[in-house]
Amino acid sequence: DQQVKQNSPSLSVQEGRISILNCDYTNSMFDYFLWYKKYPAEGPTFLISISSIKDKNEDGRFTVFLNKSAKHLSLHIVPSQPGDSAVYFCAATSDRGSTLGRLYFGRGTQLTVWP
Amino acid sequence: NAGVTQTPKFRILKIGQSMTLQCAQDMNHNYMYWYRQDPGMGLKLIYYSVGAGITDKGEVPNGYNVSRSTTEDFPLRLELAAPSQTSVYFCASGVGGTDTQYFGPGTRLTVL
């Protein structure tokens, strides 16, 4: 049973425009959310995170929005660049009160940014 | 500082064969994790370790074993390979809690 869902397997955006990647979750115990980026033949790398006590976190061109009532988060990339082309994974954890940090991942969204 | 390293990069196994996937990290992280990623799917946790000598099962542990004798190394053992274990395996490490995990480049395993 997929607790973290990324329903769009792919997204294609023109360079300079905004990319919006969406993620839904079903487990109301999740209280910390992360986005990872993955290039082919490499492992995922951490991109940005957000705690459930916030509704927005920004880091340069990347902003993550969290809507707890809808159990939905989104990653905005503005402006999109060709180097952003990668698979983006949404991940969540309910281990905030412990030290484990076990992550549950979505299936990923392939972002393609074209010139 | 190499981060998280994994060997081998690729491997083809026959059904019933055994192998060990190696993982090492040089960041002195206590926490280490093994994930598998099947085509079109997200990463699923196989096993994890919170320190040397301590391991526990994740979501999909069947068919695998782990050990953690040092802080640096966290090998994953497949005893009797099955086609269902065809996947890409990622090792990760971190300081625990909600801090980010650092992933290795992965091992692509095919069982025929």
Side-chain angles (χ1 to χ4, degrees), chain B residues 39-52:
Chain B
M41 303 293 287
L43 284 75
K44 290 188 184 293
L45 184 65
I46 305 171
Y47 269 96
Y48 64 94
S49 170
V50 301

Side-chain angles (χ1 to χ4, degrees), chain B residues 7-80:
Chain B
T7 55
K9 284 191 168 61
F10 305 93
R11 184 73 186 266
I12 298 175
L13 281 182
K14 294 183 179 178
I15 295 172
Q17 286 186 319
S18 301
M19 79 163 292
T20 299
L21 282 68
Q22 301 292 345
C23 174
Q25 53 94 8
D26 61 0
M27 296 175 282
N28 202 33
H29 289 159
N30 282 327
Y31 291 77
M32 295 188 75
Y33 311 83
W34 274 106
Y35 294 90
R36 60 178 286 174
Q37 184 192 9
D38 298 332
M41 303 293 287
L43 284 75
K44 290 188 184 293
L45 184 65
I46 305 171
Y47 269 96
Y48 64 94
S49 170
V50 301
I54 307 170
T55 63
D56 207 347
K57 297 177 181 178
E59 294 177 78
V60 290
N62 291 344
Y64 307 95
N65 279 301
V66 293
S67 59
R68 183 99 181 267
S69 56
T70 67
T71 298
E72 295 78 20
D73 301 297
F74 190 38
L76 177 71
R77 178 84 179 159
L78 283 71
E79 290 295 347
L80 291 170

Side-chain angles (χ1 to χ4, degrees), chain A residues 2 4 6 44 87-90 103-109, chain B residues 35-45 59-60 87-88 90:
Chain A
Q2 200 78 7
V4 177
Q6 294 177 259
V87 177
Y88 290 79
F89 289 100
C90 174
L103 297 177
Y104 294 86
F105 284 84
R107 297 186 179 190
T109 297
Chain B
Y35 294 90
R36 60 178 286 174
Q37 184 192 9
D38 298 332
M41 303 293 287
L43 284 75
K44 290 188 184 293
L45 184 65
E59 294 177 78
V60 290
S87 191
V88 181
F90 291 101

Side-chain angles (χ1 to χ4, degrees), chain A residues 32 36 43 46 89 99-102 106, chain B residues 31 33 37 42 96-97 100-101 104:
Chain A
Y32 197 77
Y36 279 81
F46 171 74
F89 289 100
T99 54
L100 174 58
R102 180 166 42 193
Chain B
Y31 291 77
Y33 311 83
Q37 184 192 9
T100 186
Q101 295 179 15

